[in-house]
Amino acid sequence: MQRAERDLEFSEFYAARVRPLRRVAYVVTRDWHAAEDVTQRAFVKIYRAWPRIERAGLEAYARRAVVNESLSYVTRRPRDVVVDTVPELPVPETVETLDLGAALSTLPPQQRAVIALRFVDDRSVAETAEALGIAEGTVKSHTSKAIATLRRHVPTLAPDHSMRGLP
Amino acid sequence: MTERDLSTMLRDHLADEPQLQRTGAEAIRTARRQTVRRRGLAGAAGVLAIAAVAAAAVLGPGGDGARDTPVAQDPPTPLTTLMESAATGAFTPYVGPLGDPRWTINTVLSDPVAAGDPSAQRYLLSYRPGGSTVQVNLSVGGYRPDEFETYSFATTCDYQLAEGVVASCETATLDDGSIVITTVAPRAQIGSDSPRMLTLEEAAKRPPGSVVWVRVVGLSTRDGMAVDASEYVRAADAESADWQVPVETLHALALDPVLRTADVAHEPVPGITGE
């Protein structure tokens, strides 16, 4: 493939996918700057691998690259340089009410990645499993646990919220 | 709560996302730099492998030298070669043989430097093919990306038209925020490396034959790249200029993805950014 043709194809793909993938990265990293960095790093790798990537699998490749970079960032980052105000801990004994962003921060990184792919990037269970390299059953279980955690922290997400007449 | 509710809440949560700061062109440039570095390392490893094979040959049998044979690596193509190739391909069909290339390569302070020097910020390639086309130029330069706003490219045409230094000026904004400006303007002293800008009034007063007209298509990207493609012809006024190179060709050359991702310096311009 000629370099000009490759650059043009890549540029078009970049323009179409960078924003949605940065949103996914943000949900995982909880930091827009980090999200942009990891997304860009993923696209650099995509460009280098461009001639070897089958076009039918390009989307999945890009998702996997961004999610891997995001999870890598979160797991390598010192825990005291964090995100919003809530430390990444298991679900606390006493449940406090949080906004959605803070509630997301209480989820383990891989659950955030599942939530991001399923509900921000609108991916199926199978596509999410492929991007994360995990079983579809694990995706379902992560989804279920993540939603349960979010419901505990965000009253408006609770199933009976509207019946209780809360604002 | 349904999954759709969660999806809606997440989208609301992400609604105030900041503007993108990076571009695809930056990703391409970074990838190429990484490739060049890796090739350099691979080349160094190849040299070591050759030394190992040579040593094995000297020391006699017993080693498996064939496995160490280095793989040939393509060196990165110099920007000067890329520009000459692009210019030749674009201009030759319209103006004929271009003749020898003339290079002007400068730092941000306009000091001349060698091609490939890390401080080289502007590469100007000129040809003087003869015939009715006096000169064709292709330039590739860098500027600090945050100077994109400082330069006010979007209002360049308004300014130049108001100053009376262009016969026509059109601005177009591309999807990625880059700006393409197409101008037609009079110049004098075309034989020098610094053609003099004239007002339309000055051009009209000059003796016939002392004014040339330039048509320039210039691209300015948000990641700090400037690529200009231009043709100079001798004419009494803009209307009678007999352009040989179609403006579409100049446009395609200025937007050549290879050129807009070239590796040039991006130092701030003193006096504009205060540095």
Side-chain angles (χ1 to χ4, degrees):
Chain A
M1 177 187 291
Q2 295 293 316
R3 197 155 84 167
E5 183 186 351
R6 169 181 173 175
D7 288 357
L8 185 62
E9 280 186 11
F10 174 82
S11 297
E12 287 173 352
F13 180 70
Y14 183 99
R17 290 300 291 156
V18 66
R19 281 180 185 277
L21 289 173
R22 188 181 66 157
R23 287 183 207 121
V24 169
Y26 171 74
V27 171
V28 179
T29 63
R30 307 295 303 123
D31 179 327
W32 281 114
H33 292 295
E36 182 130 2
D37 282 346
V38 299
T39 306
Q40 191 75 359
R41 272 206 295 276
F43 270 102
V44 167
K45 290 181 177 177
I46 293 165
Y47 180 83
R48 282 174 31 207
W50 194 259
R52 303 191 302 275
I53 306 173
E54 288 184 17
R55 291 302 170 265
L58 186 54
E59 286 270 350
Y61 187 100
R63 272 196 299 278
R64 199 160 50 244
V66 169
V67 169
N68 283 345
E69 288 289 338
S70 302
L71 289 173
S72 178
Y73 168 84
V74 170
T75 52
R76 286 180 193 163
R77 181 190 53 193
R79 289 299 173 96
D80 57 346
V81 193
V82 201
V83 281
D84 296 339
T85 54
V86 180
E88 291 194 31
L89 293 173
V91 179
E93 293 293 326
T94 54
V95 177
E96 51 180 326
T97 299
L98 303 170
D99 66 26
L100 183 58
L104 282 169
S105 296
T106 67
L107 300 177
Q110 198 166 51
Q111 286 187 20
R112 290 207 296 270
V114 168
I115 292 295
L117 289 166
R118 295 277 286 111
F119 304 115
V120 175
D121 207 32
D122 289 327
R123 295 298 141 191
S124 67
V125 169
E127 288 171 324
T128 302
E130 185 192 3
L132 289 166
I134 57 179
E136 291 186 25
T138 309
V139 170
K140 290 175 184 171
S141 122
H142 277 335
T143 306
S144 170
K145 287 177 185 170
I147 289 178
T149 302
L150 293 175
R151 277 176 176 162
R152 280 199 291 275
H153 287 298
V154 185
T156 51
L157 285 175
D160 58 349
H161 163 66
S162 55
M163 294 168 65
R164 286 185 293 176
L166 295 173
Chain B
M1 175 191 65
T2 65
E3 292 186 349
R4 181 178 294 179
D5 294 333
L6 176 56
S7 185
T8 303
M9 285 190 74
L10 282 166
R11 285 175 204 286
D12 289 345
H13 177 64
L14 299 172
D16 60 347
E17 67 178 304
Q19 289 289 314
L20 286 167
Q21 302 296 316
R22 312 286 186 81
T23 66
E26 280 181 54
I28 292 172
R29 269 207 303 278
T30 304
R32 288 201 182 128
R33 285 197 197 106
Q34 290 179 355
T35 302
V36 168
R37 277 201 295 273
R38 279 161 198 254
R39 282 177 176 167
L41 290 172
V47 170
L48 291 175
I50 290 169
V53 171
V58 170
L59 293 173
D64 185 4
R67 274 208 308 257
D68 295 331
T69 303
V71 176
Q73 299 293 334
D74 296 331
T77 307
L79 177 55
T80 47
T81 305
L82 295 173
M83 289 176 66
E84 287 181 14
S85 171
T88 304
F91 294 131
T92 304
Y94 303 102
V95 301
L98 296 176
D100 294 332
R102 298 161 57 98
W103 280 102
T104 306
I105 303 170
N106 291 329
T107 67
V108 69
L109 298 174
S110 297
D111 294 327
V113 287
D117 189 291
S119 65
Q121 186 140 330
R122 182 167 182 260
Y123 287 70
L124 169 63
L125 169 62
S126 297
Y127 292 98
R128 292 180 181 163
S132 60
T133 296
V134 179
Q135 182 166 305
V136 287
N137 283 1
L138 174 63
S139 77
V140 175
Y143 53 89
R144 206 168 70 172
D146 60 5
E147 288 176 351
F148 185 88
E149 303 298 341
T150 312
Y151 283 150
S152 302
F153 293 110
T155 55
T156 294
C157 279
D158 294 340
Y159 172 79
Q160 294 195 344
L161 287 165
E163 291 290 305
V165 294
V166 292
S168 66
C169 188
E170 294 173 5
T171 305
T173 304
L174 305 184
D175 290 343
D176 66 357
S178 300
I179 292 193
V180 180
I181 300 176
T182 305
T183 55
V184 172
R187 295 282 188 273
Q189 298 170 2
I190 184 67
S192 72
D193 286 334
S194 303
R196 190 182 146 210
M197 186 181 286
L198 300 172
T199 64
L200 299 177
E201 192 176 353
E202 288 171 333
K205 291 178 182 170
R206 280 183 156 257
S210 68
V211 176
V212 293
W213 291 82
V214 59
R215 182 159 68 176
V216 191
V217 176
L219 167 76
S220 304
T221 73
R222 288 192 168 272
D223 58 341
M225 290 298 296
V227 183
D228 288 2
S230 57
E231 179 189 16
Y232 291 75
V233 299
R234 211 173 291 282
D237 51 42
E239 289 70 31
S240 60
D242 185 18
W243 307 110
Q244 301 299 301
V245 183
V247 70
E248 294 80 11
T249 301
L250 295 177
H251 190 270
L253 185 55
L255 268 61
D256 186 323
V258 173
L259 301 180
R260 68 187 293 182
T261 55
D263 191 5
V264 296
H266 293 265
E267 294 301 313
V269 178
I272 289 191
T273 57
E275 293 192 28

